[in-house]
Amino acid sequence: MTWRRDNKPEGNANSSRALWLALGWFFVLLGFVGALLPLMPTTIFLILAVGCFARSSPRLEAWLLDHPRFGPSLRAWRENGAITKKGKLLACTGMALGYAIFWFTARPGLTADVVVALALAGCAAFVLSRPTAR
């Protein structure tokens, strides 16, 4: 990126900011849908939205971090990579329930069954390995 004499960035800075802003709103929308639909996550999309807003809009970043419902878990993740006990329980329960629905409705072959089970087990192990937020 080059700079003009008035110390403002030249080139793709505005388009990059607009892309981060659009992605942030996209993730907020997915998080909102996740808050309404069972088995679809909410917090991970809001964590992604905060990251996008950090690169595009400090005001929207602060709005999410200070949100009364989602702010505490977003701040815990940002500061310590921590997840609450309730969050861990809901995430692992959702993964187990999602796997059960997959297994009963798709009737996968052995390969697909093992791949999905291992992927979800890996995700659950990651969630459980994070520090527990207070």
Side-chain angles (χ1 to χ4, degrees), residues 6-103:
D6 59 2
N7 237 10
K8 293 185 179 174
E10 199 175 82
N12 293 336
N14 286 336
S15 61
S16 175
R17 182 179 179 273
L19 177 64
W20 286 115
L21 188 63
L23 275 172
W25 279 114
F26 175 70
F27 288 132
V28 166
L29 177 65
L30 288 178
F32 179 73
V33 170
L36 299 176
L37 295 178
L39 301 179
M40 185 165 168
T42 300
T43 307
I44 186 63
F45 292 120
L46 296 180
I47 288 170
L48 291 168
V50 167
C52 291
F53 289 150
R55 291 161 181 78
S56 62
S57 174
R59 182 178 62 83
L60 292 173
E61 176 190 23
W63 169 67
L64 279 177
L65 291 173
D66 293 335
H67 192 276
R69 172 124 173 105
F70 303 112
S73 60
L74 296 173
R75 286 190 306 274
W77 178 260
R78 176 177 269 185
E79 293 164 7
N80 303 312
I83 303 172
T84 63
K85 284 182 184 180
K86 180 181 176 185
K88 289 179 181 187
L89 177 67
L90 289 173
C92 291
T93 301
M95 284 184 257
L97 190 55
Y99 177 75
I101 291 170
F102 163 74
W103 195 84

